[in-house]
Amino acid sequence: MIVLIPAFEPGAHLAPLTRRLRESDVTLDVLVVDDGSGAAFAAVFDEVRRAGAHVVQYSHNRGKGAAMKTGIRDVLEQWPGHDVITADADGQHTVADILRVADELRADRAAGKSVLLLGCRDFVGDVPLRSRVGNDVSRGLFRVAAGWSASDTQTGLRGLPSDMLPWLLEVPGDRFEYETEMLLRLRGAGYRAREIAIETVYLEQNESSHFRPIADSLRVTLPMLLFAGSSLIAFAIDTVALLIFAALLSPWLGSWLAVSIVGARVLSASANFWVNRRFVFAQRGRPQAGRHAVRYAILAIALLASNIVWMSALTDLGMSLIAAKIMTETVLFITSYHVQRRFVFGGKMSVRPSDARPTSQDRQTAQPSTVPEQLAAPLLQNVR
C-alpha cells in the first residue's frame, strides 16, 4: 500500500510524520510529490528522503491535483495493484487516522469491495474560521451539484482502491478543485464513497495551508455556477419566446399553451445545449457531438413532457402562467444538471495536456537512502 503526499512548501511536520509511520507499519511505502517548493525547502525533502520516502520533484508549482495525478501514475507504473492513501503534509492528519484508513482499505480489498474512503473531520472545537466557512460553503454547493451528501468535501485523507486509479487520472482539475471533481464524478463512474470519522487537527491555526476559501471554493463550484448561468439564459429565452408565441397563437389555436411551450423550448434548448457542451462540461470535440446531441434531445423531450404536465396542472389550478413557469423550472433545474453531467456529457474524458507526465527536466525521483526499498514503510501527509 502506498501513501501519496502532495507537498508544496511544507513545514517541519513532514519528516517526523514519515518516521512515525515507518515505525507504526513497515508495509507502507511513502511517495511524496514536491510540487515546486523550490530550493528554500530542499532541506525538508532531504530529511523526508532520509526518513525513507520516495520523492518526486517539480521545478515549478503545478497544483495539488496535478501532483496527485503524477503520484498515481507512478504508483500504477512502480507499484501496480497497490491501493493508495492520500494525505496532506501540514500535520492535520494523525498517524492513527492514516493507519485506520489503511486498515479499512485492506478490509475492503479482502471483502472484494471497491469504495472510495473519505477521512471526514467533524469541525468542532477550535477550527480556523476560513476552514469552517470554506467547508460549509463547499458542502452545501456539493450536495446540490452531486445529488448526495459528503460531510467533508475538502478532506485530503482518502483511501483509493487500486482499480479506481486509472479513472482518477481522467478526472479534470490541476489544483484544489480536483478533489471535489473526483467526488462530483464518482457516482457517474459507477463508484461509491464511505466516510471514516477522523480527528480535526489544525496546527498554528492552519497557517501553512495554501487553500484560499473564496478563490478555491469558486474554482471548485465553477461548473455548477456556469450551469446555473446557462440555465438562466435559457430560462430567459424560453420565457420571452413562450409569451410571444402564446400571444400570437392563442386567437387561432385552442391548444396554444402546448404549442407555445414546444416552440419556446426548441429555441432555448438549442442555445442551452451549445453553452453547456462548450463551456459548462468542456466537451468540444466533433466526434462526440452527435452522441451528445442525441442524448440531449432525449433529455429535452423528457423535460418538455414534464414541463407541459406541470405547467398545465398548475395553470388549471389557477396559478398564473409566469408563476407556474418559475415553479416548474425550479423543480426541473437540479434534475437536468445531474442528468447532463452523468448521461448527456458524461463518459470517458481525455487527459488534458496540463495533466501529462512531467518531463525529465521537470522531474527528479529520489529513492530511500537508509532502508531497502522492500522495507520502506513510511506514510506521509500534505494538508492544506
Side-chain angles (χ1 to χ4, degrees):
M1 189 173 298
I2 312 301
V3 178
L4 169 61
I5 301 124
F8 176 60
E9 298 181 353
H13 311 289
L14 195 54
L17 175 63
T18 302
R19 292 193 183 91
R20 290 186 59 196
L21 287 167
R22 284 185 54 81
E23 294 170 356
S24 301
D25 188 342
V26 295
T27 66
L28 295 174
D29 270 308
V30 179
L31 175 61
V32 178
V33 179
D34 173 9
D35 188 21
S37 301
F41 293 84
V44 175
F45 291 102
D46 286 342
E47 184 66 19
V48 168
R49 291 187 188 95
R50 286 192 290 270
H54 306 258
V55 178
V56 175
Q57 293 181 296
Y58 291 151
S59 61
H60 62 282
N61 178 256
R62 301 177 64 214
K64 186 177 184 180
M68 290 176 67
K69 292 176 185 177
T70 292
I72 289 172
R73 291 188 188 95
D74 274 12
V75 171
L76 288 171
E77 291 181 4
Q78 299 183 37
W79 298 279
H82 281 245
D83 297 332
V84 173
I85 301 170
T86 63
D88 292 337
D90 56 5
Q92 288 188 22
H93 303 147
T94 67
V95 172
D97 284 334
I98 296 171
L99 295 178
R100 283 186 60 211
V101 174
D103 290 339
E104 292 292 334
L105 274 174
R106 294 187 183 104
D108 282 353
R109 176 182 281 266
K113 298 179 181 178
S114 180
V115 180
L116 176 69
L117 302 180
L118 301 174
C120 296
R121 301 160 288 184
D122 56 14
F123 291 94
V124 297
D126 186 19
V127 178
L129 179 62
R130 68 170 182 168
S131 297
R132 187 186 299 276
V133 171
N135 187 72
D136 287 345
V137 171
S138 296
R139 182 170 54 190
L141 291 174
F142 174 84
R143 181 169 187 173
V144 173
W148 61 281
S149 298
S151 62
D152 187 359
T153 61
Q154 299 174 16
T155 179
L157 181 56
R158 305 184 179 197
L160 313 178
S162 60
D163 68 326
M164 198 179 292
L165 300 184
W167 170 73
L168 289 171
L169 293 179
E170 299 176 351
V171 176
D174 288 339
R175 298 189 179 277
F176 286 116
E177 79 276 10
Y178 172 70
E179 291 175 308
T180 300
E181 284 287 350
M182 181 192 307
L183 300 182
L184 286 171
R185 297 169 185 267
L186 187 71
R187 292 198 172 182
Y191 297 108
R192 291 291 183 268
R194 177 161 60 88
E195 296 187 354
I196 300 172
I198 64 172
E199 185 177 353
T200 303
V201 179
Y202 285 105
L203 302 178
E204 300 172 353
Q205 288 297 295
N206 206 25
E207 292 181 358
S208 63
S209 173
H210 300 284
F211 183 77
R212 302 162 296 174
I214 296 178
D216 288 320
S217 291
L218 287 176
R219 182 190 294 270
V220 162
T221 57
L222 184 59
M224 187 64 179
L225 296 176
L226 289 175
F227 184 82
S230 171
S231 297
L232 286 175
I233 294 173
F235 173 78
I237 294 174
D238 202 29
T239 301
V240 172
L242 174 64
L243 294 175
I244 293 175
F245 289 155
L248 293 176
L249 298 178
S250 59
W252 298 283
L253 298 177
S255 58
W256 62 268
L257 180 58
V259 175
S260 299
I261 291 175
V262 171
R265 184 50 56 92
V266 169
L267 290 178
S268 63
S270 298
N272 186 248
F273 171 77
W274 183 81
V275 172
N276 284 356
R277 183 174 188 271
R278 184 172 181 83
F279 298 105
V280 179
F281 300 104
Q283 298 285 345
R284 304 183 183 184
R286 289 186 178 181
Q288 298 185 18
R291 184 189 70 178
H292 293 158
V294 171
R295 291 182 175 183
Y296 186 89
I298 294 173
L299 171 64
I301 292 172
L303 292 176
L304 176 60
S306 299
N307 193 291
I308 293 174
V309 171
W310 277 94
M311 288 190 62
S312 297
L314 292 174
T315 53
D316 287 345
L317 292 174
M319 185 175 292
S320 68
L321 183 61
I322 292 297
K325 176 71 172 175
I326 294 174
M327 180 173 291
T328 299
E329 295 297 342
T330 300
V331 171
L332 297 179
F333 170 79
I334 295 178
T335 300
S336 178
Y337 177 82
H338 294 318
V339 174
Q340 288 189 50
R341 171 180 283 278
R342 299 179 185 180
F343 174 71
V344 177
F345 302 107
K348 292 289 184 180
M349 300 167 290
S350 59
V351 180
R352 300 178 300 172
S354 60
D355 293 332
R357 244 185 127 68
T359 63
S360 57
Q361 290 79 17
D362 190 44
R363 181 181 184 275
Q364 298 174 347
T365 303
Q367 302 297 330
S369 58
T370 59
V371 183
E373 179 176 335
Q374 63 269 27
L375 295 180
L379 178 164
L380 243 114
Q381 115 187 38
N382 166 313
V383 167
R384 19 177 152 77

